[in-house]
Amino acid sequence: MNHIIHWKRNFAILWSGQFLAIAGLTLLVPFLPFYMEELGVKTPQEKQLWSGIALAAPAVSSAIASPLWGKLGDRFGRKLMVIRALFGLSLCLCLMAIVSSPLQFLAVRLLQGAFGGIVDASSAFAGSEAPEEQRGKALGSLQSAVAAGSLSGPFLGGIFANIYGFRPLLLTVGIITAIGACAAGFLLTERIRTQTKESPSSEVTGSVLQAFISMFSHSRTRGFLLAGFTANVAVFGLVTPLAPLVESVARKPDYAATWIGFLQAALWTATLVSAPWWGKRNDRFKVERNYRIATILCGISVVLQACVINVPTLLVFRILQGLTFSALIQSVMFVIIQSSTDTNRSVRVGAANSVLVCGQVIGSLAGALITGMFNPSTAFFMMGTVFIVSACCLLQGFVTIPVLSFRANKR
């Protein structure tokens, strides 16, 4: 009974911390070109260049650092990693408020990727502390925190940046995030973990490389990692072509920016509502089935977006995309957590996050390249097809590829 009470309190803190962190990180994203101008960048081409580099930078450092932090979490405790992530993001937000050049801003964004990682830190903590029969629900609800933060951040940024400016806003959010980190330090409770006979010593002392090899050596985890990687390629490949697609179908192109904001709000609202539902389904039904259904529907919705002729129809398909995409990444993490032990859970979650982040980077580049070479409709059609390929990654035999054989206890 006490464990259930502690878990409910833990979950409230995790959800709040993740919401604060995501909202703080996304409040500046749509307005990066304006902040670059404030940092001294003059031409529109340079603003776009620096903004694009700054957006991609955290993904690069996060892909490197996530498994290392995960390894430390397995050794010293996952609560410590949640606190570290929140304090790291707090520090970076405060530093963003005082930088004076785009190069300094880029350096801080790299630090953000390296010392942040609140999503995988929270996932590893929840996967260890949540009751086993509620792990899917917990991960789904944490996914809703990401959606809520992504929805609220740009909205609040647009309002308060005009009133107070970017720098005071970043500093304020950084301080609030630091308060959240202190709350996590005082209120989060973590069970004392003991090594059991089912947890061989090699699982404790295994390297990050061993975590990668172990996951790719098993067909189920390999399939979900490839599926998640492919899904991230697809969803981030849609970022660049969205604006020109809206401009091409809007009857009044001057209102395209307003429509884009409305479409993004609808997408994240649908994700916020549906993510816990998919999490509960993962607790009750086979994850592979849920993933296939969600991914195929998501892919169809994206392909149909390539064919729309007006914005209201595009809105309907964006909502369907949000309702189904919310199932994907949480399902990947659910399987990774299921396949782990209490002594290697964090490093496996971190390693999985690195794979997913690589998909994010490749998708962003591919989306921009396809849009530039062809048109936004072609990019949407191709990315919808990639979503459907993601579902195929879980078909029997599809992921039976030559891999290095590895046993965790082999030296």
Side-chain angles (χ1 to χ4, degrees):
M1 187 66 180
N2 286 336
H3 177 60
I4 299 296
I5 296 173
H6 287 160
W7 164 242
K8 289 181 178 179
R9 184 180 66 187
N10 284 344
F11 176 76
I13 297 167
L14 289 176
W15 198 99
S16 301
Q18 191 156 300
F19 168 78
L20 278 175
I22 299 299
L25 293 175
T26 57
L27 65 85
L28 191 62
V29 169
F31 315 106
L32 269 178
F34 302 117
Y35 197 52
M36 288 299 155
E37 184 176 1
E38 193 172 317
L39 293 177
V41 181
K42 300 300 181 183
T43 68
Q45 293 82 4
E46 289 180 336
K47 290 177 191 176
Q48 292 298 325
L49 176 63
W50 278 107
S51 297
I53 295 173
L55 281 173
V60 176
S61 51
S62 176
I64 298 171
S66 286
L68 302 177
W69 287 123
K71 183 62 182 173
L72 291 176
D74 287 330
R75 184 172 182 181
F76 298 109
R78 297 177 183 108
K79 172 183 174 178
L80 184 61
M81 292 301 103
V82 174
I83 298 169
R84 179 269 310 162
L86 288 171
F87 270 124
L89 290 173
S90 170
L91 175 62
C92 289
L93 286 166
C94 292
L95 289 175
M96 287 181 201
I98 62 174
V99 295
S100 57
S101 71
L103 190 60
Q104 291 177 358
F105 184 82
L106 176 61
V108 175
R109 291 282 289 178
L110 287 168
L111 284 176
Q112 173 200 314
F115 291 95
I118 183 61
V119 173
D120 42 310
S122 297
S123 296
F125 187 96
S128 296
E129 299 299 319
E132 188 173 353
E133 68 279 4
Q134 296 183 21
R135 282 178 180 172
K137 178 183 176 182
L139 293 175
S141 298
L142 286 177
Q143 178 74 19
S144 73
V146 174
S150 299
L151 176 64
S152 304
F155 177 74
L156 296 174
I159 293 175
F160 291 107
N162 286 331
I163 301 174
Y164 302 107
F166 290 114
R167 294 179 186 272
L169 180 60
L170 287 168
L171 188 60
T172 301
V173 175
I175 293 171
I176 294 173
T177 306
I179 294 172
C182 293
F186 284 109
L187 299 176
L188 275 182
T189 55
E190 184 175 13
R191 290 179 293 113
I192 299 174
R193 291 176 288 136
T194 57
Q195 187 176 335
T196 64
K197 294 180 180 179
E198 287 77 19
S199 300
S201 60
S202 57
E203 292 288 343
V204 180
T205 59
S207 67
V208 171
L209 178 61
Q210 288 173 338
F212 278 105
I213 295 175
S214 175
M215 288 191 294
F216 277 99
S217 296
H218 294 82
S219 60
R220 190 174 191 232
T221 50
R222 180 170 68 246
F224 270 95
L225 285 175
L226 293 176
F229 170 84
T230 310
N232 258 8
V233 169
V235 73
F236 282 93
L238 299 174
V239 173
T240 301
L242 177 62
L245 180 71
V246 173
E247 286 181 332
S248 68
V249 300
R251 294 182 179 179
K252 295 181 179 180
D254 291 342
Y255 292 95
T258 302
W259 273 115
I260 292 169
F262 194 65
L263 289 167
Q264 288 297 88
L267 173 76
W268 285 115
T269 301
T271 303
L272 172 64
V273 171
S274 60
W277 184 80
W278 285 109
K280 291 177 184 177
R281 283 187 62 86
N282 282 342
D283 284 326
R284 296 178 58 194
F285 303 106
K286 195 171 182 180
V287 186
E288 285 83 351
R289 176 192 174 193
N290 295 333
Y291 189 94
R292 290 192 198 104
I293 292 171
T295 312
I296 291 172
L297 289 175
C298 188
I300 291 172
S301 72
V302 173
V303 169
L304 290 174
Q305 288 175 58
C307 307
V308 299
I309 57 175
N310 56 63
V311 178
T313 307
L314 180 60
L315 174 63
V316 173
F317 294 138
R318 290 290 284 184
I319 292 173
L320 178 57
Q321 179 189 333
L323 290 173
T324 51
F325 180 76
S326 61
L328 306 188
I329 302 306
Q330 64 163 301
S331 296
V332 175
M333 286 301 182
F334 182 76
V335 169
I336 297 301
I337 288 171
Q338 271 190 329
S339 69
S340 65
T341 67
D342 201 40
T343 55
N344 68 1
R345 186 160 292 133
S346 293
V347 70
R348 287 170 75 92
V349 169
N353 182 67
S354 292
V355 175
L356 298 177
V357 166
C358 289
Q360 172 183 332
V361 174
I362 293 173
S364 300
L365 295 174
L369 182 63
I370 295 170
T371 304
M373 292 179 62
F374 301 101
N375 55 61
S377 295
T378 302
F380 268 78
F381 181 83
M382 293 182 69
M383 293 305 161
T385 305
V386 172
F387 269 120
I388 296 173
V389 170
S390 177
C392 295
C393 290
L394 301 184
L395 295 177
Q396 186 70 25
F398 187 88
V399 293
T400 307
I401 56 177
V403 292
L404 292 173
S405 61
F406 172 79
R407 295 185 180 275
N409 59 354
K410 186 175 182 180
R411 293 186 178 272

